[in-house]
Amino acid sequence: MNYGSDYRLMQDFKMTRRRMLSLCSNGFGSLSLLGLMGSKTFGNVLTSGKTKPLSPQPSHFEPKAKNVIFLYMDGGVSHVDTFDPKPLLAKENGNPMKMRIEPTQFNNNGGVLKSPWEFKKYGQSGIEVSDLFPHVATCVDDLAIIRSMVSEFSEHTNANYFLHTGHGLQGRPSMGTWISYGLGSENQNLPGFVVLNGGLIPSGGLDNFNNGFLPAHYQGSIFQSGESPVANINKSEPIPKLQRNKLDFVRQLDKRLLGRIGHTDEIESAITNYELAYRMQDTVPELTDLRGESSRIKKLYGFDAKYAHTRTYARQCLIARRLVERGVRFVELTCPMVDGYSRWDQHGNLKGNHYKNALAVDQPIAALLMDLKSRGLFDETLVVWSGEFGRTPFSQGKDGRDHNPFGFSIWLAGAGIKGGTVYGATDPYGYKAEKNVVTVHDLHATILHLLGIDHKQLTYRFSGRDIRLTDVYGDVITKILT
């Protein structure tokens, strides 16, 4: 069959993939530009000509806190042995639980297990704290203790992701990342989110501090313990000029590439991180040089303590104070590796292992609170103390406690927090939260609120929807706020 000249004309104008892309390129570019203009980071690039992702950003409303120090207690502290006294445990010690027991991590469940430690009332508030924390107990009038915290996960990795990112699986931005994204940093020579590694990275690894789908320059920067927290940070002449020239050359190459391919998070984050690393060469050595700190302050923190891990955590707490003093927005402290037992995860030898973990952190934490107050930083710094879950009021085996996500204790102190407060309650055994239950989303919403951020408005467009730290949940815990 002969279709004549019309068929030949159609063949001449046959739309190939290459021709379609060529004809539509401007349209695609406009769509891409429209999407990128909605990006906070790219918008800054277009209007200022420079990428300044960590520049201070305005809050949604007047904040109470400028900075956050997160004292992460790795492994799950036993609340019934620290901040949630339960006399019933001593009364029924060794007897079967009279409540239904949920499936546990190891299902090696014994009877009710009383606390090896005594609880005493402290401060004007008369709040009870166990003998495990004699130093922190003296600061109880500054604490808001939440005794009704719950988690959705009973396994370390998922519970850690949930506590740090608001989601039980890896790949989401960390709490510190969200805060850096929302507020930037008050110090352009230091990261906005710093993790002080005392020896233990939580189960789940570095994804607990990662940027997820947010731009990479907001992720946590890991500072190791000791006098050289960042590798290759110390500079010496004449390297700086040579390094500066190399850095300028790399930046020119990266900008040339950006000019050809447009906005790319990997390249822009690399440029930002190279520049920040260069500036940190002057800032970090000064930050970690503690010779200017008085012997009184060092003694207060525990630099002369007999226990080596107390000295490790003392240095972390003092560095944390120096970081917020210099405008770093979010600082997280991980636990030291205590004598091979590594964390608060006591499935056996509860008395010996919890004692060692508490000995490592108790004095430095109390010193941090007192030092912040003496320097006028307490009213602008939020301090959060929390593990990923609690522990069971019944024994695992003979002398351990299994994981318990159904009710545990955390505390907050500092900016905007009503000190000397107890909020919520668990049942008489301390097994499940039953009054004023607080979720991880509620905790995140409250932290953001104190920083002047409406958690419902701090969003990032990803995978077709606006995602936030608190997902679609979260209520501010107003009764612990001033």
Side-chain angles (χ1 to χ4, degrees):
M1 184 180 294
N2 183 8
Y3 290 97
S5 60
D6 288 343
Y7 177 75
R8 288 192 295 274
L9 187 63
M10 289 173 61
Q11 290 293 97
D12 290 341
F13 284 94
K14 185 177 181 181
M15 184 65 72
T16 66
R17 182 175 61 179
R18 181 173 294 178
R19 176 175 291 183
M20 187 273 289
L21 290 173
S22 176
L23 291 173
C24 298
S25 60
N26 288 337
F28 286 144
S30 298
L31 288 173
S32 300
L33 179 62
L34 193 62
L36 291 172
M37 285 294 288
S39 163
K40 184 176 187 177
T41 303
F42 193 65
N44 284 344
V45 175
L46 290 179
T47 56
S48 67
K50 294 182 179 180
T51 302
K52 295 183 178 179
L54 292 177
S55 296
Q57 302 294 327
S59 56
H60 296 143
F61 47 84
E62 189 67 25
K64 293 288 184 71
K66 292 183 179 180
N67 319 93
V68 178
I69 297 176
F70 179 29
L71 306 171
Y72 168 65
M73 298 292 110
D74 194 348
V77 182
S78 172
H79 53 294
V80 295
D81 295 304
T82 52
F83 295 100
D84 192 4
K86 295 298 177 182
L88 185 62
L89 299 185
K91 184 178 179 181
E92 298 188 8
N93 185 49
N95 295 333
M97 282 279 290
K98 295 178 181 177
M99 291 179 62
R100 178 180 177 272
I101 295 179
E102 304 289 346
T104 55
Q105 187 75 8
F106 291 95
N107 281 324
N108 180 22
N109 304 329
V112 172
L113 180 63
K114 71 175 184 179
S115 176
W117 295 278
E118 297 293 326
F119 282 78
K120 298 184 182 69
K121 293 182 178 181
Y122 290 87
Q124 293 183 351
S125 58
I127 296 175
E128 292 184 272
V129 180
S130 87
D131 294 340
L132 265 180
F133 283 98
H135 291 89
V136 171
T138 64
C139 304
V140 75
D141 287 337
D142 294 319
L143 311 183
I145 299 173
I146 297 174
R147 290 177 174 167
S148 54
M149 194 74 191
V150 297
S151 177
E152 295 181 9
F153 301 92
S154 61
E155 191 274 331
H156 291 293
T157 297
N158 300 109
N160 278 328
Y161 289 149
F162 191 44
L163 176 64
H164 283 84
T165 74
H167 194 73
L169 300 176
Q170 68 186 133
R172 290 295 184 95
S174 180
M175 171 174 35
T177 300
W178 276 108
I179 291 170
S180 295
Y181 163 69
L183 294 176
S185 176
E186 293 183 318
N187 189 329
Q188 297 303 295
N189 296 326
L190 285 169
F193 173 20
V194 172
V195 179
L196 298 177
N197 179 21
L200 282 170
I201 294 296
S203 297
L206 297 180
D207 274 343
N208 287 290
F209 320 122
N210 218 335
N211 60 294
F213 46 72
L214 288 175
H217 35 250
Y218 297 116
Q219 69 183 330
S221 296
I222 312 296
F223 283 23
Q224 305 298 337
S225 59
E227 296 183 2
S228 299
V230 181
N232 305 315
I233 199 66
N234 294 312
K235 63 181 182 179
S236 58
E237 296 293 348
I239 294 177
K241 182 168 179 58
L242 177 62
Q243 186 184 42
R244 181 71 260 175
N245 291 339
K246 288 181 178 178
L247 190 62
D248 289 341
F249 178 65
V250 170
R251 192 197 325 174
Q252 289 177 14
L253 293 177
D254 287 340
K255 283 188 174 181
R256 198 172 296 173
L257 180 59
L258 276 176
R260 293 203 306 269
I261 66 175
H263 168 68
T264 302
D265 174 48
E266 290 82 359
I267 298 176
E268 291 186 358
S269 294
I271 295 173
T272 302
N273 291 336
Y274 288 148
E275 290 288 346
L276 178 58
Y278 181 81
R279 297 193 299 272
M280 284 169 61
Q281 290 179 114
D282 287 319
T283 309
V284 172
E286 183 276 330
L287 166 75
T288 57
D289 183 357
L290 304 181
R291 288 175 294 182
E293 298 288 345
S294 69
S295 57
R296 181 189 65 82
I297 286 294
K298 292 179 179 178
K299 183 178 180 64
L300 179 70
Y301 276 89
F303 275 65
D304 61 348
K306 293 181 180 179
Y307 194 45
H309 299 299
T310 305
R311 299 194 298 270
T312 297
Y313 205 71
R315 183 179 180 85
Q316 284 180 264
C317 285
L318 183 52
I319 295 294
R321 187 219 80 200
R322 291 169 66 89
L323 283 167
V324 298
E325 207 169 26
R326 287 157 176 76
V328 173
R329 192 70 69 182
F330 191 96
V331 182
E332 177 169 348
L333 282 68
T334 72
C335 291
M337 186 175 291
V338 174
D339 296 351
Y341 298 110
S342 73
R343 51 185 177 172
W344 294 91
D345 191 28
Q346 270 73 75
H347 295 278
N349 193 16
L350 172 72
K351 185 175 182 179
N353 297 347
H354 254 46
Y355 170 76
K356 290 179 179 178
N357 279 281
L359 183 62
V361 304
D362 177 41
Q363 181 180 348
I365 290 174
L368 173 64
L369 297 177
M370 290 185 278
D371 197 15
L372 289 172
K373 290 183 76 172
S374 70
R375 295 171 183 270
L377 295 169
F378 191 69
D379 291 336
E380 61 186 41
T381 303
L382 174 65
V383 182
V384 180
W385 183 96
S386 177
E388 64 267 42
F389 41 58
R391 310 204 76 81
T392 56
F394 48 88
S395 68
Q396 178 185 340
K398 179 182 177 182
D399 58 355
R401 296 193 192 276
D402 212 329
H403 304 171
N404 180 20
F406 306 111
F408 59 102
S409 296
I410 69 170
W411 58 256
L412 300 88
I417 294 297
K418 188 186 298 181
T421 302
V422 172
Y423 183 79
T426 52
D427 60 66
Y429 289 100
Y431 187 29
K432 295 183 177 181
E434 63 177 15
K435 179 182 179 183
N436 295 326
V437 176
V438 176
T439 69
V440 168
H441 298 305
D442 297 334
L443 174 64
H444 290 163
T446 303
I447 292 171
L448 294 177
H449 175 82
L450 288 167
L451 290 164
I453 299 175
D454 182 345
H455 70 102
K456 295 179 181 179
Q457 294 185 40
L458 182 65
T459 63
Y460 190 87
R461 192 74 177 177
F462 176 73
S463 193
R465 71 183 184 95
D466 293 329
I467 299 180
R468 67 190 205 214
L469 172 62
T470 53
D471 198 12
V472 295
Y473 310 100
D475 294 302
V476 176
I477 315 165
T478 57
K479 291 188 177 180
I480 69 169
L481 307 182
T482 56

